[in-house]
Amino acid sequence: MLVICPNCRSKNIGIIGPEQYYCWDCFIELSVQNDMLHLHEVEMDGSLSSLDDLFSDEERRVER
């Protein structure tokens, strides 16, 4: 599956776990659940903040 970052449109995506990815260009974490991307910003303390509300369902949909 080719994952493209909906934030910066980069293909420079690394795998960090099953269905979990990291964009090396804009530094956000992506996970896939039910063919939808969930995006998170990694905070300074290591916690994650959701960015899902910044993108439409169409932008977050994963095509397999």
Side-chain angles (χ1 to χ4, degrees):
M1 172 175 66
L2 176 65
V3 177
I4 297 174
C5 179
N7 186 52
C8 68
R9 308 305 299 164
S10 173
K11 295 179 186 174
N12 190 14
I13 305 293
I15 298 174
I16 58 175
E19 301 293 325
Q20 291 183 305
Y21 305 91
Y22 187 79
C23 179
W24 289 103
D25 290 335
C26 68
F27 313 111
I28 63 172
E29 193 171 304
L30 307 101
S31 60
V32 179
Q33 291 179 338
N34 300 323
D35 292 333
M36 291 293 284
L37 276 176
H38 297 278
L39 298 92
H40 296 90
E41 179 177 24
V42 181
E43 300 294 343
M44 295 297 286
D45 65 359
S47 64
L48 299 175
S49 297
S50 178
L51 300 175
D52 288 352
D53 60 336
L54 300 177
F55 301 93
S56 69
D57 286 350
E58 184 66 28
E59 291 174 304
R60 297 187 307 120
R61 187 160 287 116
V62 174
E63 296 182 22
R64 294 184 186 253

